[in-house]
Each structure stands twice: as structure tokens, then as C-alpha cells.
Amino acid sequence: MKNILILILASFMCIEGFAKEKEEDRYSDLQNFSKVLNLIQQYYVEDADTKKIIQGAIKGMLRELDPHTSYMPAEVFKEFESETSGNFAGIGVEISIQKGVLTVISPIEDTPAWIAGVKSGDRIVAINGESTKGFSLVDASQKMRGENGTKVVLKVVREGKDEPFDISIKRGNVKINSVKYTNFDEGYAYIRVTSFIEQTGKDLEKVLEKHKSSNKGQITGIILDLRKNPGGLLDQAIKMSNLFLKEGVIVSTVGRNPKDREISKVVKPGEFVDFPLIVLVDQYSASASEILAGALRDNKRALIMG
């Protein structure tokens, strides 16, 4: 018993010592950061914007984690909110970081990028002559966004082309219609969802109601197309899943600590649960698209193709 007690105490001492060592390392690193900042303020050739330097350090810190974790200052977050509302000024292109390269998921139909000839899979290597190497999605979005009528030049690498080439795009007002509907008659319909913005869930419900009423209150089958859909707002994926499911888990999030768990379940049986459903996906279906497709698959509600 005495030996066991000694072993337990020794274990606690090791854990405590390790935690203390980690804390000291962190404190030492923060001291280094503070010293470098002071040296810049004292000896750099011209006055430096301290706020800008600190924000750059934060961006760099998050970039070390993965390509999808970014820092958004308040003014950038406001611009992001305007995009998720579905109406903003820019070129109208969905982008992602793939294998460290800024890549076009899809140009939004009838937008400046679409008209200029930007294509899915294009790798953007420069924006207005500035290399995109090391850019986060937030950095790239800020560079491409701008006032109506101004131009932005993208240098792209495209499969099948020997050399990178420039695409000049005149910025304009981008209005996203995220749900597109085609009636195949006899109760069948094709519905394409291009992104998950503030109104997507409501728009999808309206389209389903319209299709149901135009077919004597019956839906024979639906093809839901999520190809080239990079996602968007999580709450919209949850709302859309609720439309098609009777019950079950939609999405769960587990943190580093297993106790830190968030689970979203079907609130009440959806109104569109009793007809065959096929969901189309591809390599560009991401984020909220994957959550919706996964929820429908895991609850055995839909056949996933792609």
C-alpha cells in the first residue's frame, strides 16, 4: 500500500513538473515576442504600425494550424457577413486551399468571374501581380473584393494549359441565388444548391412546397445536387437536414476533451420524408455540403452519388 502511494505521488509530481515546464516555455516564447516587438518599435527604419504587426502575428500563428483556420478582424467579419447574406460587391467565385494552393471551387453563375471565363479547378497563383503563396482564404477574399467597376487580374494555372495566364475581371454586384429548381414532371424534380447562405434553408423549403403543390400534393423523387458547393453556414445545413429527416443526429462536434461535445438532432419530423432522395456530390463538395450529405446518408434517408 505504501509503495502504491509513493508511486501515485511520484506520478502527480511528474505531471505537475511537465505542466510547469510547458508553462515556462510558453512564457519564454511570449517574452521573445515582446522583445522582438520592442526592437521593431525602437530600431526599425520608420515608424511601424504596432496594431498591424500584432494582427499579422496572429494570422501567422493560426496559419501554422491548417489552411482553414483564419483570423478575422471586425471589419473583415462585417464583409464576410455581407457575403453570407447573398448580395455583395466582388467577382463571384468560391475558393478553397487545396494542397497549399488557392483553388477555384466554382465561379458563381452569371457573375463577373463566370462571364470572364474562370473555371472550377483553376489554381490562382497571383492576384494583381502578388503571389498567393501563403495566403489564407480571408487574405485572398480581401484581395479579390472591391468596388463595383474596378478591375482585378488573376493569374491562373489550368489543367491542359502549358503556361499560367491572366484573367482580367471587372468587379460588380454579386447576387447569389443559392437554390435552383427544375420540374421533371410526374412528381420528380432536380434541385441544385450552390452555397449555404442565410436564406438557403427557407428557399429550399419554398421550392419543395412549390413542387409538391404543382404535383397534386405528391413528390415522387428528388435529385439534390451539391456538386461544386463549398458550403457556408452550418445552421443552414442543419435546417435543410431537418426538412428531410424524421429523427436522428445531424451533426456532432467533439473537442479535444471528449466531454466538450455538441450534438444537433432532428427537432421534429420533417415535412419531406417519404420519397426517394438522391444527393450528388463531387471533390468540391465541402463543409456544410458534407454535413448535409453525411446526415442524410447516416440516417439512411438518401443515396449519395459521386
Side-chain angles (χ1 to χ4, degrees):
M1 184 68 180
K2 183 178 179 181
N3 290 338
I4 294 173
L5 182 59
I6 292 171
L7 181 60
I8 292 172
L9 288 172
S11 298
F12 275 124
M13 289 172 67
C14 287
I15 293 169
E16 186 179 349
F18 179 74
K20 188 175 181 180
E21 184 181 340
K22 293 285 286 184
E23 187 177 342
E24 288 175 353
D25 288 344
R26 188 183 303 118
Y27 181 70
S28 176
D29 289 338
L30 289 173
Q31 277 189 318
N32 287 337
F33 177 84
S34 181
K35 287 176 183 177
V36 171
L37 182 60
N38 286 331
L39 288 170
I40 291 171
Q41 290 171 325
Q42 290 180 44
Y43 300 112
Y44 189 64
V45 67
E46 56 189 32
D47 287 339
D49 185 336
T50 302
K51 183 178 179 181
K52 187 176 181 180
I53 291 171
I54 292 173
Q55 287 192 345
I58 294 171
K59 289 180 181 179
M61 177 174 60
L62 294 177
R63 196 173 292 140
E64 285 296 311
L65 300 176
D66 60 67
H68 310 290
T69 304
S70 301
Y71 170 67
M72 283 189 184
E75 62 275 12
V76 176
F77 183 68
K78 286 181 181 178
E79 292 176 359
F80 172 78
E81 286 186 312
S82 72
E83 289 190 16
T84 57
S85 70
N87 198 343
F88 60 94
I91 64 172
V93 64
E94 304 283 3
I95 54 175
S96 179
I97 304 291
Q98 297 190 351
K99 297 181 179 178
V101 181
L102 185 65
T103 304
V104 175
I105 299 298
S106 177
I108 300 169
E109 292 182 23
D110 304 321
T111 62
W114 172 277
I115 294 167
V118 176
K119 296 184 181 297
S120 298
D122 282 351
R123 289 169 287 168
I124 303 173
V125 295
I127 301 173
N128 287 335
E130 182 180 356
S131 172
T132 59
K133 186 176 181 179
F135 271 23
S136 68
L137 293 177
V138 173
D139 295 332
S141 295
Q142 283 187 285
K143 295 290 183 182
M144 290 188 284
R145 198 181 291 118
E147 294 182 6
N148 287 349
T150 59
K151 286 187 177 181
V152 60
V153 178
L154 308 182
K155 184 175 287 293
V156 305
V157 174
R158 181 176 293 170
E159 189 174 348
K161 295 280 187 179
D162 295 332
E163 299 288 337
F165 61 96
D166 290 340
I167 301 178
S168 180
I169 307 170
K170 187 176 181 180
R171 297 181 178 98
N173 189 56
V174 177
K175 185 172 177 61
I176 302 175
N177 177 18
S178 62
V179 179
K180 301 186 177 183
Y181 160 72
T182 302
N183 189 345
F184 285 163
D185 298 325
E186 298 183 6
Y188 293 99
Y190 167 84
I191 300 173
R192 184 177 173 212
V193 179
T194 60
S195 59
F196 290 71
I197 57 177
E198 287 179 1
Q199 296 298 315
T200 303
K202 287 184 179 179
D203 290 345
L204 176 61
E205 187 173 9
K206 288 177 184 177
V207 161
L208 290 168
E209 290 287 2
K210 176 183 177 181
H211 182 67
K212 187 174 181 179
S213 63
S214 65
N215 288 278
K216 300 178 181 179
Q218 296 293 324
I219 297 179
T220 309
I222 296 288
I223 297 173
L224 185 64
D225 192 348
L226 300 179
R227 291 175 297 177
K228 295 183 175 65
N229 185 324
L233 299 176
L234 172 63
D235 68 322
Q236 296 303 306
I238 293 172
K239 287 179 182 178
M240 293 162 71
S241 299
N242 265 294
L243 294 174
F244 295 112
L245 295 174
K246 291 181 180 179
E247 59 183 4
V249 173
I250 296 173
V251 61
S252 61
T253 305
V254 180
R256 181 187 297 181
N257 185 341
K259 292 181 181 179
D260 295 335
R261 182 187 296 265
E262 293 183 16
I263 300 176
S264 295
K265 297 182 179 180
V266 175
V267 179
K268 62 178 181 178
E271 298 179 24
F272 307 98
V273 298
D274 56 357
F275 54 83
L277 179 63
I278 294 175
V279 179
L280 305 181
V281 296
D282 64 8
Q283 61 180 326
Y284 300 115
S285 305
S287 180
S289 293
E290 295 174 297
I291 289 170
L292 175 58
L296 297 177
R297 180 199 62 188
D298 292 349
N299 288 287
K300 296 180 172 54
R301 174 65 185 89
L303 173 66
I304 311 298
M305 297 183 67

